[in-house]
Amino acid sequence: MSHTGEPRPMSAVPGASLNGTASIPGDKSVSHRSLIFGAMAVGETKVSGLLEGADVLDTAKAMQALGAEVIRHGQGDWSIHGVGVGGFSEPEDVIDCGNSGTGVRLLMGTVATHGFSTTFTGDASLRSRPMGRVTDPLALFGAVAHGRSGGRLPLTLAGAATPVPVYYKVPVPSAQVKSAVLLAGLNAPGDTVVEEIEATRDHTERMLRGFGAQVETDGLVITLKGQPELKPQVIAVPRDPSSAAFPVCAALICEGSDVLVPGIGLNPTRAGLYTTLREMGADLTFENEREEGGEPVADLRARFGPMKGIEVPPERAASMIDEYPILSVVAALAEGVTVMRGVKELRVKESDRIDAMARGLEACGVKVEETEDSFTVYGMGGKVPGGATVGTRLDHRIAMSFFCLGMATQNPVRIDDATVVETSFPNFLPLMEEMGASFQRHNG
Ligand code: S3P
């Protein structure tokens, strides 16, 4: 579902305090993987709590195009009749992954070891993103990619009919690249081995084990035994910590707020933001800590209070990579300077997120500095002028970050296009309004 519709400008009106309970949708990473792994199992996988955001719906369509039966039974309740490892068939048409880097990269891995060709495309954001990081390792299996210059989409991948297993050291910290290689390895004989330079989110490894694959992790080295029979699963998708970040951070910066966000997955490969916020002095508590489906889960309680700038260490970047935009909003309202290092991957997300946040924050009166690999925000101790229009660049997390900023500035912040929020958090705006936020819709 590409963002080809009319942009919808909206403003966040400052002055609200947020109170209540925020029900967060399912985890985006786990939702994509539930559909893809379910489609590669033999039999019926049942999923509850699936995120019904545009990205995941595009992956559901792609699985159907590759021959799996995907059925929606009700809100978040889905089933997938898988075709087994190696059982996909050539899609009749181009696969459009919309805005989703995770969708397209995991799917490329999946079809790379099937002996047919698949053509992928996406929206303007996805068509500008680097795909060589995935097609390079997939070539080692025997797949051949023809894309636009720089390996960008639209791109046709001719899968290997007789794939060989691969050893690959991933040169960038990327769970998508790691996962693409592991997924290709599923339909190759023998052991496929991936070595990471830094630990990234490990949902692929955990979930594939759940589906019955043999996946061993030794430090940064992951070994997968190829051609397993994947057994269908019953999956309850945990609530997304990256989406929870928005109401949590909005509560921390809006005076008088007290918000409870129940049942958030706190897998250590995803929870870096929450460590960082606590270091900044946030009034953030974890209540009712427990395990659900093998993942640590807690209810987060966030209350408004003063915060101070800190240095965020580069080794934490992978565990909070999607949270830097909203962290930079918190940093703008904190007292003192926040320095984020080791963040150059932000430049190749749905947008160049350092540039998008830097330009938007500057327009709202915040001083920032950037290098290729770092981002510095000079906090204004709760007094950010706002009063500007910011560009969202087809990037859901940039849009939601500026909506949160505009709840706490001195003047409204106008967001050029609210539709992009659909990508990962379709009920973001009504949820925030229910808790006390105020938004204004514009006609264009
Ligand atoms: C994801 C991995 C991350 C993250 C994205 C989801 C995943 O991307 O930014 O939102 O589900 O594997 P990279 O692998 O490019 O860091």
Side-chain angles (χ1 to χ4, degrees):
M1 200 192 296
S2 305
H3 295 287
T4 47
E6 281 297 298
R8 179 159 33 99
M10 278 178 72
S11 290
V13 181
S17 48
L18 302 175
N19 286 280
T21 301
S23 175
I24 301 298
D27 189 274
K28 180 158 73 67
S29 294
V30 174
S31 294
H32 281 296
R33 286 161 174 83
S34 299
L35 293 169
I36 298 172
F37 302 167
M40 297 177 92
V42 180
E44 189 190 31
T45 287
K46 292 183 173 162
V47 187
S48 59
L50 188 90
L51 166 66
E52 295 182 351
D55 273 16
V56 175
L57 299 180
D58 285 329
T59 291
K61 274 191 230 138
M63 296 336 296
Q64 286 169 326
L66 288 164
E69 200 177 306
V70 182
I71 303 168
R72 181 180 190 269
H73 302 281
Q75 181 70 45
D77 281 334
W78 293 62
S79 61
I80 305 111
H81 291 261
V83 294
V85 168
F88 286 135
S89 41
E90 184 177 83
E92 284 176 13
D93 205 345
V94 172
I95 292 195
D96 186 345
C97 290
N99 191 247
S100 182
T102 307
V104 78
R105 291 182 176 133
L106 268 54
L107 291 175
M108 279 190 206
T110 307
V111 298
T113 47
H114 282 73
F116 55 75
S117 290
T118 312
T119 302
F120 294 97
T121 193
D123 70 5
S125 156
L126 194 58
R127 291 196 310 271
S128 73
R129 297 180 68 184
M131 295 299 151
R133 53 175 54 200
V134 174
T135 54
D136 287 352
L138 297 182
L140 305 175
F141 287 95
V144 179
H146 290 288
R148 289 192 302 135
S149 59
R152 288 168 305 150
L153 304 180
L155 177 155
T156 298
L157 191 68
T162 49
V164 289
V166 153
Y167 179 99
Y168 190 66
K169 184 164 180 176
V170 189
V172 285
S174 170
Q176 292 175 358
V177 178
K178 168 178 69 177
S179 301
V181 176
L182 292 172
L183 283 173
L186 277 179
N187 197 33
D191 286 356
T192 285
V193 183
V194 186
E195 191 176 338
E196 295 197 89
I197 49 165
E198 272 172 50
T200 61
R201 66 189 69 193
D202 61 357
H203 303 299
T204 296
E205 299 89 303
R206 283 177 186 245
M207 289 178 71
L208 280 179
R209 275 184 210 116
F211 273 90
Q214 216 175 307
V215 184
E216 270 150 35
T217 302
D218 181 7
L220 294 173
V221 180
I222 302 139
T223 305
L224 168 98
K225 200 161 271 317
Q227 298 180 325
E229 181 172 313
L230 297 185
K231 298 187 176 44
Q233 296 299 297
V234 176
I235 300 172
V237 178
R239 295 175 192 270
D240 197 322
S242 300
S243 298
F246 297 102
V248 163
C249 290
L252 297 176
I253 59 175
C254 291
E255 223 171 309
S257 299
D258 184 350
V259 164
L260 185 70
V261 191
I264 301 305
L266 289 174
N267 176 320
T269 62
R270 298 287 300 281
L273 171 74
Y274 299 105
T275 308
T276 302
L277 291 172
R278 283 174 150 185
E279 285 175 6
M280 295 174 84
D283 187 350
L284 175 66
T285 49
F286 293 176
E287 300 176 359
N288 198 9
E289 288 182 54
R290 57 202 186 269
E291 273 223 352
E292 277 176 16
E295 297 270 352
V297 163
D299 304 338
L300 309 185
R301 182 156 187 198
R303 279 172 280 211
F304 170 77
M307 285 176 282
K308 58 179 195 319
I310 60 161
E311 286 235 359
V312 188
E315 60 274 13
R316 197 178 292 159
S319 69
M320 54 177 290
I321 194 66
D322 291 337
E323 282 66 77
Y324 284 98
I326 186 63
L327 176 67
S328 65
V329 166
V330 173
L333 285 140
E335 198 79 59
V337 183
T338 295
V339 187
M340 302 163 245
R341 295 190 202 282
V343 294
K344 68 168 177 286
E345 275 295 302
L346 294 179
R347 298 215 179 262
V348 290
K349 294 293 177 188
E350 284 83 332
S351 66
D352 175 340
R353 285 183 170 162
I354 297 180
D355 192 61
M357 289 311 298
R359 301 296 79 79
L361 286 173
E362 273 174 350
C364 291
V366 182
K367 183 180 165 200
V368 300
E369 277 165 14
E370 58 181 294
T371 68
E372 186 54 25
D373 194 29
S374 75
F375 187 35
T376 301
V377 177
Y378 289 81
M380 305 185 78
K383 294 192 171 46
V384 174
T389 298
V390 295
T392 51
R393 307 185 187 187
L394 293 178
D395 190 328
H396 52 129
R397 298 200 200 281
I398 299 300
M400 289 188 279
S401 297
F402 283 118
F403 271 113
C404 293
L405 179 70
M407 295 175 206
T409 43
Q410 293 168 326
N411 300 286
V413 172
R414 183 172 163 132
I415 286 90
D416 69 347
D417 182 14
T419 63
V420 296
V421 166
E422 293 288 325
T423 294
S424 65
F425 201 160
N427 63 332
F428 171 74
L429 293 169
L431 177 77
M432 299 303 274
E433 281 176 321
E434 266 167 43
M435 291 197 297
S438 172
F439 305 125
Q440 202 186 333
R441 280 137 181 98
H442 301 290
N443 292 326

